[in-house]
Amino acid sequence: MRTIQSLGRVLGHVLAFSALTACGSEPSDGGSSDSSATTTGTDTTGPTTQGAASSTTSPANTSSSGAVATATNTGSTDAGSGGGGSTGGGTTTRGELPALGCNTELAVSSGTTPQVVSDRVIEYTLDGEPARDHYRVAILMFDGQTTPPEDASGWSHTEYTPEMVGEAFFNDPNGVAAYMAEASYGKVSLEGTVVGWFDIGAYTAPVDEIVLDYETYAAMALDDIDFADYDITYIVAVTDTDELLQIGWGLGNSVQGVYPMGIDYMINSWFWNEAGTRAHSSTALPSTSWAHELSHTLGLTGHAIGLDCGDQIVSTECILAPYANPFSIMGAYIYGTHQDVRGKLAMNFVDAAQLQEVTASGSYGVCPLETTDAEVKGLSITLPQTLTLTESEAVYDRLIIEYRTPIGFDRYLERLSSDFVTEFFPAGPLDHDGISLMLGYANESDSTVLMDVHPDTEFTSSGIKVSGDGGKYADARLRLGETVTLEVLGLEVTYEGRTTDGGVMVRVTYL
Ligand SMILES: [Zn+2]
């Protein structure tokens, strides 16, 4: 992976074609600060050897996969042995805990109606009412490939048309508009226009030059659209180079110097025809990166990182594994695609009260991350003392907890309980039920760092983006009835049980 950081407002990762997705987040003010500073653990190879164990997981029920889901005994007091300091939690039985007010509804995009305006302009007009945050999107497509393409190794303008992009983006049930409607609980709607292809000749220069020279490319569309009518522009290009560059800039940028605009760059981005299938990266259309970058544009600057501590859960010697969280679109998104709850707060999809501050021991309820209720979607547990990682010097002051269910764009969680997972996690299938424990940054970065509370299980090297993502973190979450003692953090956490309305109760104990 080569990283470009010296290009003014550009911060991105340019990957060789063999890597699936790359992205850099952009500060919305056009400044060049490295907002990914918290994600630059970079070295993700191999677990490191740590000192003495500082964390233990004490399963209430040690049987594998399905047995957990069907167990009636959950994490009551003394749920396991050897964990030390197990919490009192009262008796909790799955399905018998009082309702929290969660619902089971998912927000759905109203869709758009296309209208061909000219031979290269298609407008997509929203069918329903605009949502709270309504954005008009201009997708500009630039063909820099020779015809026929000399390298047909994976992307080509011949593989997708402006019509296909428009349908995928605005109308497909696996598309960006559908994704953002669901992830925002109906707070975001998208409509807009696709313009293209513009023929830019055989483009062989480094792909980041398209980003640096974006005004030139935007100007090509001045005869076709009025930028004053749009909030976000996608600069889409295919070139004759083998580089992939995908970046999301915030809404505070502009085109033509006067039009405020978020800008997303999809240079040699892929088009996943198989979205919705079992293919590894088939979670969204046109590809998952289109929604990932739009999340940056809508205010989420960080990523879903993994904490790699070898065979431990957490210590000061852990390293950061960029993009490794397989449960978030801001990470490896193989099992889930909703942004995590901290990211949703950054985009104002949830309000501050829905990421409940916890500063005292007790039992706390959390509703599923995906559903439209306005209840608590996550816990932000203040650490008794901050944790500083030796290598990255990253400082964490909170533990964030969320709960996902296999519905909507998070239906891919079902992969955990199918043979799909065994490619990465030989001991699988796993139960898909669990709560995620993520470190949160003291500097208010909206990145999160997923902890693997079952760090000593075997996984294969056939990860998704970073070797091990799909395997090591497949069993990262705390299962029903388990207690994890995190001495380094001064906390103990128990997944106590599920509520009658699909939520969970989590017991937090300050040690
Ligand atoms: Zn990103």
Side-chain angles (χ1 to χ4, degrees), residues 38 301 342 345-346 395 397-398 440-447:
T38 55
T301 60
R342 179 66 185 88
L345 179 64
V395 182
D397 68 353
R398 71 203 75 177
Y441 283 84
N443 66 0
E444 298 301 330
S445 162
D446 52 28
S447 286

Side-chain angles (χ1 to χ4, degrees), residues 376-406:
V376 170
K377 296 296 190 185
L379 305 178
S380 179
I381 305 163
T382 302
L383 300 182
Q385 64 277 327
T386 60
L387 172 72
T388 302
L389 299 185
T390 301
E391 181 179 288
S392 64
E393 299 182 346
V395 182
Y396 305 95
D397 68 353
R398 71 203 75 177
L399 177 68
I400 296 170
I401 286 177
E402 70 182 16
Y403 176 64
R404 292 173 184 253
T405 49

Side-chain angles (χ1 to χ4, degrees), residues 19 32 64 77 84 91 113 139 150 182 202-204 210 232 235-236 252 306 332 347 373 381 404 406 414 417 483-484:
S32 60
S64 63
T77 305
T91 55
T113 298
I139 300 174
E150 294 173 354
E182 181 181 304
Y203 190 95
T204 58
I210 294 176
I232 295 164
I235 304 285
V236 180
M347 295 180 290
D373 56 75
I381 305 163
R404 292 173 184 253
E414 292 282 13
S417 51
T483 294
V484 61

Side-chain angles (χ1 to χ4, degrees), residues 195-439:
V195 188
W197 296 90
F198 292 99
D199 185 358
I200 58 172
Y203 190 95
T204 58
V207 293
D208 51 85
E209 291 186 12
I210 294 176
V211 178
L212 289 172
D213 201 18
Y214 74 99
E215 292 283 21
T216 297
Y217 293 91
M220 293 183 196
L222 286 174
D223 290 340
D224 299 297
I225 62 169
D226 182 351
F227 281 99
D229 293 339
Y230 297 89
D231 309 296
I232 295 164
T233 291
Y234 274 79
I235 304 285
V236 180
V238 292
T239 79
D240 269 348
T241 67
D242 62 353
E243 293 177 320
L244 171 65
L245 180 56
Q246 301 174 114
I247 299 178
W249 283 2
L251 293 168
N253 288 279
S254 69
V255 296
Q256 303 303 300
V258 292
Y259 303 113
M261 195 78 64
I263 308 176
D264 291 296
Y265 299 88
M266 313 304 302
I267 315 297
N268 292 327
S269 180
W270 293 4
F271 191 104
W272 294 111
N273 293 309
E274 72 276 29
T277 72
R278 285 169 61 87
H280 297 166
S281 291
S282 61
T283 52
L285 279 173
S287 75
T288 312
S289 294
W290 293 58
H292 172 118
E293 304 305 340
L294 184 58
S295 298
H296 287 317
T297 296
L298 298 185
L300 202 182
T301 60
H303 287 109
I305 304 164
L307 191 68
D308 187 347
C309 314
D311 60 1
Q312 294 181 52
I313 298 172
V314 57
S315 81
T316 57
E317 303 310 305
C318 301
I319 59 174
L320 298 177
Y323 306 103
N325 183 340
F327 302 102
S328 168
I329 200 170
M330 306 315 289
Y333 59 75
I334 185 172
Y335 306 122
T337 64
H338 276 241
Q339 306 98 348
D340 67 42
V341 65
R342 179 66 185 88
K344 290 190 181 209
L345 179 64
M347 295 180 290
N348 204 22
F349 294 175
V350 298
D351 60 37
Q354 290 181 278
L355 180 50
Q356 183 179 352
E357 296 275 348
V358 173
T359 57
S361 298
S363 290
Y364 299 89
V366 179
C367 283
L369 186 66
E370 301 85 3
T371 55
T372 57
D373 56 75
E375 303 299 324
V376 170
K377 296 296 190 185
L379 305 178
S380 179
I381 305 163
T382 302
L383 300 182
Q385 64 277 327
T386 60
L387 172 72
T388 302
L389 299 185
T390 301
E391 181 179 288
S392 64
E393 299 182 346
V395 182
Y396 305 95
D397 68 353
R398 71 203 75 177
L399 177 68
I400 296 170
I401 286 177
E402 70 182 16
Y403 176 64
R404 292 173 184 253
T405 49
I407 55 177
F409 278 89
D410 276 355
R411 65 189 180 277
Y412 303 100
L413 283 171
E414 292 282 13
R415 291 170 168 175
L416 288 171
S417 51
S418 75
D419 288 339
F420 177 96
V421 74
T422 57
E423 179 180 349
F424 316 104
F425 186 78
L430 291 155
D431 184 4
H432 58 70
D433 191 59
I435 61 173
S436 297
L437 277 61
M438 300 169 285
L439 293 172

